[in-house]
Amino acid sequence: MTTAMGEATGQLDIGRVIQETFQVLGRYFATFLVLAVILTGVPAVLVGIVELNFVSPGELVSWESILGGVVAGLAGLILEGTVIYGTVTDLNGRRASIADCLSVGLRSFLPLLGIGIVFGFAVAFGLVLLVIPGIMVAVAWCVAVPAYVVEQTGIIGAFSRSAELTRGNRWRVFALFVIYLIATVIMEVVLGVFSGAASLATGGGLTFAQAIIFSPLLRVATALIGATATAALYVELRRVRDGVGADSLAAIFD
């Protein structure tokens, strides 16, 4: 329910967003995992191969690694579109195939690329300005991608729609960011233990296991959880602000 001024009259349920995220992941695990491996894992492996063969020990930045990171980022945009479609469809009690999800992601790629570029520059610029403005922008625009995919708002409209949906609940959205960050750090620590052991066993330096196994695994896991959580957050914000359930959202794709 909303007021005449469009302000949210309900509060975002953080627990519900987390619960729906993992419920969807549980039901769609095989489908989303295949998509994540194709769109995030494979590019990450290729980046690892490039770093092993072309980046010198101690070299922090190279054009090969930058290029690999760009490719991985572009593939991640497609993944986000595919997972958003699958999540919204699942929350409506329906099933979407890998082909259906991938079709939506590929069809939305160029607009999502535009959203990604604008979002990245705006957040980076905000972070330069004493950090806090960047965090505020990231929180306000965090559901711009699902807003575009589901509502076909247009690139600029996706940002204004995201700002509208998050208004009144941004501290709660920020709390979700913190929870996700903590979960990512925990995964990094766990994988880092195994990765460090592999490095010590081979005398230090970037190892095959680090570049080809552990780093891609971390990227797949964080991308999978992040994209699903973003979709679940969008659905919950629509429910809180607009009184619209997943069934109405999924009908848009019909």
mmCIF file of all heavy atoms in Angstrom, residues 41-65:
data_model
loop_
_atom_site.group_PDB
_atom_site.id
_atom_site.type_symbol
_atom_site.label_atom_id
_atom_site.label_comp_id
_atom_site.label_asym_id
_atom_site.label_seq_id
_atom_site.Cartn_x
_atom_site.Cartn_y
_atom_site.Cartn_z
ATOM 1 N N GLY A 41 31.605 -18.437 -14.125
ATOM 2 C CA GLY A 41 32.696 -19.372 -13.871
ATOM 3 C C GLY A 41 33.665 -19.498 -15.036
ATOM 4 O O GLY A 41 34.888 -19.410 -14.854
ATOM 5 N N VAL A 42 33.145 -19.694 -16.238
ATOM 6 C CA VAL A 42 34.007 -19.853 -17.417
ATOM 7 C C VAL A 42 34.846 -18.604 -17.667
ATOM 8 O O VAL A 42 36.072 -18.700 -17.864
ATOM 9 C CB VAL A 42 33.179 -20.224 -18.665
ATOM 10 C CG1 VAL A 42 34.046 -20.185 -19.921
ATOM 11 C CG2 VAL A 42 32.553 -21.608 -18.498
ATOM 12 N N PRO A 43 34.241 -17.384 -17.675
ATOM 13 C CA PRO A 43 35.079 -16.182 -17.818
ATOM 14 C C PRO A 43 36.139 -16.067 -16.724
ATOM 15 O O PRO A 43 37.271 -15.630 -16.983
ATOM 16 C CB PRO A 43 34.069 -15.031 -17.725
ATOM 17 C CG PRO A 43 32.788 -15.621 -18.191
ATOM 18 C CD PRO A 43 32.806 -17.030 -17.673
ATOM 19 N N ALA A 44 35.791 -16.461 -15.479
ATOM 20 C CA ALA A 44 36.757 -16.394 -14.378
ATOM 21 C C ALA A 44 37.919 -17.361 -14.613
ATOM 22 O O ALA A 44 39.078 -17.046 -14.311
ATOM 23 C CB ALA A 44 36.071 -16.706 -13.051
ATOM 24 N N VAL A 45 37.616 -18.535 -15.140
ATOM 25 C CA VAL A 45 38.673 -19.502 -15.456
ATOM 26 C C VAL A 45 39.592 -18.940 -16.544
ATOM 27 O O VAL A 45 40.823 -19.059 -16.459
ATOM 28 C CB VAL A 45 38.064 -20.847 -15.905
ATOM 29 C CG1 VAL A 45 39.143 -21.747 -16.501
ATOM 30 C CG2 VAL A 45 37.388 -21.546 -14.731
ATOM 31 N N LEU A 46 38.986 -18.314 -17.551
ATOM 32 C CA LEU A 46 39.788 -17.725 -18.634
ATOM 33 C C LEU A 46 40.686 -16.612 -18.106
ATOM 34 O O LEU A 46 41.844 -16.485 -18.515
ATOM 35 C CB LEU A 46 38.859 -17.191 -19.737
ATOM 36 C CG LEU A 46 38.044 -18.245 -20.492
ATOM 37 C CD1 LEU A 46 37.119 -17.571 -21.504
ATOM 38 C CD2 LEU A 46 38.966 -19.239 -21.200
ATOM 39 N N VAL A 47 40.137 -15.796 -17.196
ATOM 40 C CA VAL A 47 40.948 -14.750 -16.572
ATOM 41 C C VAL A 47 42.108 -15.376 -15.805
ATOM 42 O O VAL A 47 43.252 -14.901 -15.861
ATOM 43 C CB VAL A 47 40.091 -13.887 -15.623
ATOM 44 C CG1 VAL A 47 40.977 -12.959 -14.792
ATOM 45 C CG2 VAL A 47 39.080 -13.069 -16.407
ATOM 46 N N GLY A 48 41.833 -16.476 -15.093
ATOM 47 C CA GLY A 48 42.885 -17.168 -14.343
ATOM 48 C C GLY A 48 43.977 -17.702 -15.252
ATOM 49 O O GLY A 48 45.167 -17.619 -14.925
ATOM 50 N N ILE A 49 43.586 -18.248 -16.386
ATOM 51 C CA ILE A 49 44.570 -18.764 -17.347
ATOM 52 C C ILE A 49 45.448 -17.631 -17.873
ATOM 53 O O ILE A 49 46.674 -17.772 -17.994
ATOM 54 C CB ILE A 49 43.854 -19.480 -18.509
ATOM 55 C CG1 ILE A 49 43.176 -20.758 -18.006
ATOM 56 C CG2 ILE A 49 44.832 -19.801 -19.632
ATOM 57 C CD1 ILE A 49 42.315 -21.443 -19.040
ATOM 58 N N VAL A 50 44.804 -16.490 -18.174
ATOM 59 C CA VAL A 50 45.559 -15.325 -18.651
ATOM 60 C C VAL A 50 46.551 -14.863 -17.592
ATOM 61 O O VAL A 50 47.728 -14.584 -17.891
ATOM 62 C CB VAL A 50 44.592 -14.176 -19.020
ATOM 63 C CG1 VAL A 50 45.372 -12.876 -19.241
ATOM 64 C CG2 VAL A 50 43.792 -14.525 -20.263
ATOM 65 N N GLU A 51 46.105 -14.798 -16.333
ATOM 66 C CA GLU A 51 46.984 -14.338 -15.258
ATOM 67 C C GLU A 51 48.142 -15.297 -15.042
ATOM 68 O O GLU A 51 49.267 -14.870 -14.752
ATOM 69 C CB GLU A 51 46.183 -14.164 -13.972
ATOM 70 C CG GLU A 51 45.197 -12.998 -14.015
ATOM 71 C CD GLU A 51 44.375 -12.888 -12.752
ATOM 72 O OE1 GLU A 51 44.335 -13.879 -11.989
ATOM 73 O OE2 GLU A 51 43.772 -11.822 -12.530
ATOM 74 N N LEU A 52 47.892 -16.593 -15.176
ATOM 75 C CA LEU A 52 48.953 -17.587 -14.994
ATOM 76 C C LEU A 52 50.012 -17.491 -16.075
ATOM 77 O O LEU A 52 51.207 -17.679 -15.828
ATOM 78 C CB LEU A 52 48.356 -19.000 -14.990
ATOM 79 C CG LEU A 52 47.719 -19.488 -13.684
ATOM 80 C CD1 LEU A 52 47.046 -20.833 -13.919
ATOM 81 C CD2 LEU A 52 48.756 -19.595 -12.579
ATOM 82 N N ASN A 53 49.572 -17.189 -17.300
ATOM 83 C CA ASN A 53 50.479 -17.257 -18.441
ATOM 84 C C ASN A 53 51.059 -15.922 -18.883
ATOM 85 O O ASN A 53 52.109 -15.904 -19.531
ATOM 86 C CB ASN A 53 49.754 -17.898 -19.627
ATOM 87 C CG ASN A 53 49.465 -19.374 -19.407
ATOM 88 O OD1 ASN A 53 50.327 -20.225 -19.596
ATOM 89 N ND2 ASN A 53 48.242 -19.690 -19.002
ATOM 90 N N PHE A 54 50.369 -14.811 -18.552
ATOM 91 C CA PHE A 54 50.809 -13.530 -19.100
ATOM 92 C C PHE A 54 51.129 -12.472 -18.056
ATOM 93 O O PHE A 54 51.754 -11.464 -18.375
ATOM 94 C CB PHE A 54 49.743 -12.968 -20.059
ATOM 95 C CG PHE A 54 49.473 -13.858 -21.240
ATOM 96 C CD1 PHE A 54 48.351 -14.671 -21.262
ATOM 97 C CD2 PHE A 54 50.349 -13.897 -22.313
ATOM 98 C CE1 PHE A 54 48.101 -15.501 -22.341
ATOM 99 C CE2 PHE A 54 50.104 -14.719 -23.404
ATOM 100 C CZ PHE A 54 48.974 -15.528 -23.412
ATOM 101 N N VAL A 55 50.676 -12.668 -16.810
ATOM 102 C CA VAL A 55 50.938 -11.676 -15.776
ATOM 103 C C VAL A 55 52.159 -12.103 -14.967
ATOM 104 O O VAL A 55 52.205 -13.215 -14.428
ATOM 105 C CB VAL A 55 49.721 -11.517 -14.844
ATOM 106 C CG1 VAL A 55 50.024 -10.504 -13.742
ATOM 107 C CG2 VAL A 55 48.503 -11.077 -15.647
ATOM 108 N N SER A 56 53.138 -11.224 -14.892
ATOM 109 C CA SER A 56 54.377 -11.532 -14.181
ATOM 110 C C SER A 56 54.149 -11.542 -12.683
ATOM 111 O O SER A 56 53.294 -10.815 -12.169
ATOM 112 C CB SER A 56 55.458 -10.489 -14.517
ATOM 113 O OG SER A 56 55.675 -10.432 -15.916
ATOM 114 N N PRO A 57 54.895 -12.362 -11.936
ATOM 115 C CA PRO A 57 54.786 -12.388 -10.470
ATOM 116 C C PRO A 57 55.021 -11.003 -9.881
ATOM 117 O O PRO A 57 55.978 -10.322 -10.240
ATOM 118 C CB PRO A 57 55.886 -13.370 -10.053
ATOM 119 C CG PRO A 57 56.064 -14.252 -11.244
ATOM 120 C CD PRO A 57 55.858 -13.363 -12.440
ATOM 121 N N GLY A 58 54.153 -10.569 -8.981
ATOM 122 C CA GLY A 58 54.272 -9.264 -8.360
ATOM 123 C C GLY A 58 53.625 -8.145 -9.147
ATOM 124 O O GLY A 58 53.488 -7.027 -8.641
ATOM 125 N N GLU A 59 53.202 -8.411 -10.375
ATOM 126 C CA GLU A 59 52.539 -7.397 -11.195
ATOM 127 C C GLU A 59 51.071 -7.312 -10.780
ATOM 128 O O GLU A 59 50.324 -8.279 -10.904
ATOM 129 C CB GLU A 59 52.650 -7.750 -12.673
ATOM 130 C CG GLU A 59 52.103 -6.664 -13.594
ATOM 131 C CD GLU A 59 52.273 -7.019 -15.064
ATOM 132 O OE1 GLU A 59 52.797 -8.122 -15.347
ATOM 133 O OE2 GLU A 59 51.889 -6.211 -15.920
ATOM 134 N N LEU A 60 50.651 -6.161 -10.288
ATOM 135 C CA LEU A 60 49.298 -6.016 -9.767
ATOM 136 C C LEU A 60 48.275 -5.764 -10.868
ATOM 137 O O LEU A 60 47.146 -6.234 -10.797
ATOM 138 C CB LEU A 60 49.253 -4.864 -8.751
ATOM 139 C CG LEU A 60 50.107 -5.054 -7.492
ATOM 140 C CD1 LEU A 60 49.987 -3.817 -6.605
ATOM 141 C CD2 LEU A 60 49.671 -6.302 -6.732
ATOM 142 N N VAL A 61 48.661 -5.003 -11.884
ATOM 143 C CA VAL A 61 47.728 -4.629 -12.948
ATOM 144 C C VAL A 61 48.372 -4.875 -14.302
ATOM 145 O O VAL A 61 49.539 -4.567 -14.515
ATOM 146 C CB VAL A 61 47.332 -3.134 -12.843
ATOM 147 C CG1 VAL A 61 46.368 -2.774 -13.968
ATOM 148 C CG2 VAL A 61 46.699 -2.843 -11.492
ATOM 149 N N SER A 62 47.622 -5.462 -15.218
ATOM 150 C CA SER A 62 48.077 -5.643 -16.592
ATOM 151 C C SER A 62 46.865 -5.518 -17.504
ATOM 152 O O SER A 62 45.724 -5.699 -17.075
ATOM 153 C CB SER A 62 48.728 -7.024 -16.772
ATOM 154 O OG SER A 62 47.750 -8.047 -16.681
ATOM 155 N N TRP A 63 47.114 -5.216 -18.765
ATOM 156 C CA TRP A 63 45.988 -5.058 -19.673
ATOM 157 C C TRP A 63 45.264 -6.381 -19.873
ATOM 158 O O TRP A 63 44.041 -6.412 -20.089
ATOM 159 C CB TRP A 63 46.466 -4.496 -21.012
ATOM 160 C CG TRP A 63 47.268 -5.473 -21.849
ATOM 161 C CD1 TRP A 63 48.619 -5.605 -21.902
ATOM 162 C CD2 TRP A 63 46.734 -6.443 -22.750
ATOM 163 N NE1 TRP A 63 48.984 -6.603 -22.768
ATOM 164 C CE2 TRP A 63 47.841 -7.135 -23.319
ATOM 165 C CE3 TRP A 63 45.454 -6.794 -23.151
ATOM 166 C CZ2 TRP A 63 47.685 -8.162 -24.249
ATOM 167 C CZ3 TRP A 63 45.291 -7.818 -24.081
ATOM 168 C CH2 TRP A 63 46.399 -8.486 -24.627
ATOM 169 N N GLU A 64 45.997 -7.493 -19.745
ATOM 170 C CA GLU A 64 45.345 -8.806 -19.893
ATOM 171 C C GLU A 64 44.332 -9.053 -18.773
ATOM 172 O O GLU A 64 43.207 -9.505 -19.014
ATOM 173 C CB GLU A 64 46.386 -9.927 -19.893
ATOM 174 C CG GLU A 64 47.334 -9.933 -21.072
ATOM 175 C CD GLU A 64 48.608 -9.157 -20.801
ATOM 176 O OE1 GLU A 64 48.649 -8.427 -19.786
ATOM 177 O OE2 GLU A 64 49.550 -9.269 -21.591
ATOM 178 N N SER A 65 44.733 -8.736 -17.543
ATOM 179 C CA SER A 65 43.829 -8.963 -16.418
ATOM 180 C C SER A 65 42.662 -7.982 -16.447
ATOM 181 O O SER A 65 41.533 -8.323 -16.089
ATOM 182 C CB SER A 65 44.584 -8.845 -15.093
ATOM 183 O OG SER A 65 45.169 -7.569 -14.956
#
